């Protein structure tokens, strides 16, 4: 993980390639809203229904994330999915295919909000693409309850880094280390996401996947609250160069991280 914080609410379109939204598809919408509402202080309003029931999470009136209902006949993993900004989603979808990725959904109109694609990279990690219209994406950052960072956990970074760079035009900054496989992706001159090659330590039931870090004021207190709400701690709070971090899962098993940034 690297530093990519800010406190200003985005007021314009996100730079192409920037994570602009994060969405979770679940089986139990009501229980999930109760969990995240209690954990992060989110409130919820209806969102586009093109893929089924969907709500947008608000923090002090600002849009933060989305939660949708999984179709009952689809056995899909419950996971947080980052959406990467695009100015031409049809071209992006075609480039995903040409570079060895897969487009599973879309390009699809989401009412007047924008257009979306859900795809996967050559290693199988699922991500979304968003071309904004009325809905620009997450509109607040740098405060507790907001996405702070997105990181891909994958087998190795070399191949997938080339994929994301070609599709989204990223510049990369590898960590030069014999035993640490990490690449930071830059868009618009700033770090926006990370790729972490962890080899065969990937969870067998997950494979390569994106991890969203949510900012919290106190990682230890938030982890305790998460447990009380029915969540699970996968790695307890620990110090990192970028703050205190815990890896956790919600009651349906969606993995994410809590980060308490140093003040």
């Amino acid at each position: 993980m690297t530093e990519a914080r800010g406190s200003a609410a985005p007021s314009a379109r996100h730079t192409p390639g920037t994570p602009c939204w994060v969405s979770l598809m679940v089986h139990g919408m009501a229980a999930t809203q109760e969990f995240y509402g209690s954990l992060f202080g989110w409130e919820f309003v209806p969102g586009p229904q093109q893929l089924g029931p969907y709500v947008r999470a608000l923090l002090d009136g600002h849009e933060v994330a989305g939660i949708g209902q999984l179709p009952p006949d689809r056995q899909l993993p419950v996971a947080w999915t980052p959406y990467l900004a695009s100015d031409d989603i049809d071209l992006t979808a075609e480039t995903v295919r040409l570079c060895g990725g897969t487009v599973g959904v879309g390009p699809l109109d989401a009412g007047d909000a924008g257009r979306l694609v859900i795809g996967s990279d050559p290693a199988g990690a699922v991500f979304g693409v968003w071309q904004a219209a009325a809905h620009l994406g997450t509109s607040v950052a740098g405060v507790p309850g907001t996405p702070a960072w997105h990181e891909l956990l994958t087998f190795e970074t070399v191949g997938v880094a080339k994929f994301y760079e070609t599709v989204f035009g990223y510049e990369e900054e590898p960590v030069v280390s014999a035993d640490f496989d990490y690449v930071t992706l830059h868009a618009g001159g700033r770090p926006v996401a990370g790729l972490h090659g962890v080899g065969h330590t990937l969870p067998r039931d997950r494979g390569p996947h994106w991890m969203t870090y949510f900012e919290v004021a106190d990682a230890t207190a938030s982890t305790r609250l998460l447990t009380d709400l029915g969540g699970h701690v996968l790695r307890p709070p620990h110090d990192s160069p970028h703050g205190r971090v815990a890896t956790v899962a919600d009651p349906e098993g969606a993995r994410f991280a809590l980060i308490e940034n140093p003040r």
Side-chain angles (χ1 to χ4, degrees):
M1 183 179 175
T2 190
E3 193 71 25
R5 298 186 63 234
S7 57
S11 58
R13 283 179 176 269
H14 291 262
T15 302
T18 303
C20 60
W21 190 244
V22 63
S23 196
L24 174 66
M25 302 296 287
V26 299
H27 299 286
M29 287 274 288
T32 299
Q33 290 176 65
E34 183 176 350
F35 172 83
Y36 286 101
S38 299
L39 182 63
F40 292 138
W42 291 350
E43 298 177 336
F44 299 91
V45 296
Q49 308 290 306
Q50 276 70 18
L51 297 179
Y54 192 83
V55 294
R56 290 176 179 161
L58 306 181
L59 183 67
D60 296 328
H62 298 286
E63 295 185 343
V64 175
I67 297 175
Q69 177 78 53
L70 278 170
D73 58 340
R74 299 287 297 276
Q75 295 302 313
L76 299 173
V78 177
W80 281 102
T81 301
Y83 280 72
L84 311 174
S86 172
D87 286 341
D88 186 340
I89 203 164
D90 295 282
L91 177 60
T92 300
E94 184 60 24
T95 309
V96 166
R97 294 188 187 98
L98 290 173
C99 292
T102 301
V103 174
V105 176
L108 174 71
D109 290 331
D112 62 355
R115 304 187 73 210
L116 67 86
V117 155
I118 300 174
S120 57
D121 66 28
V126 175
F127 63 93
V129 185
W130 181 253
Q131 181 177 337
H135 175 61
L136 298 178
T138 301
S139 60
V140 63
V143 297
T146 62
W149 186 246
H150 300 276
E151 189 169 276
L152 174 66
L153 300 178
T154 190
F155 294 111
E156 52 82 28
T157 63
V158 175
V160 290
K162 290 180 181 177
F163 168 82
Y164 286 102
E165 289 162 20
T166 303
V167 173
F168 294 104
Y170 295 123
E171 296 177 351
E172 71 166 71
E173 181 182 315
V175 172
V176 180
S177 172
D179 57 358
F180 188 60
D181 182 12
Y182 199 96
V183 171
T184 302
L185 302 177
H186 292 247
R190 67 185 186 91
V192 296
L195 311 179
H196 190 185
V198 296
H200 294 291
T201 64
L202 275 170
R204 294 191 175 204
D205 60 332
R206 302 299 302 202
H209 62 281
W210 282 91
M211 174 81 75
T212 298
Y213 288 70
F214 289 97
E215 183 164 338
V216 294
D218 184 323
T220 300
S222 293
T223 302
R224 190 179 303 118
L225 174 59
L226 172 135
T227 303
D228 292 342
L229 294 170
H232 309 281
V233 178
L234 305 178
R235 186 178 181 190
H238 58 279
D239 292 328
S240 81
H242 307 286
R244 202 157 167 75
V245 178
T247 305
V248 298
D250 69 18
E252 286 203 20
R255 300 177 185 218
F256 58 102
L258 304 173
I259 180 163
E260 173 191 341
N261 283 291
R263 302 296 178 183

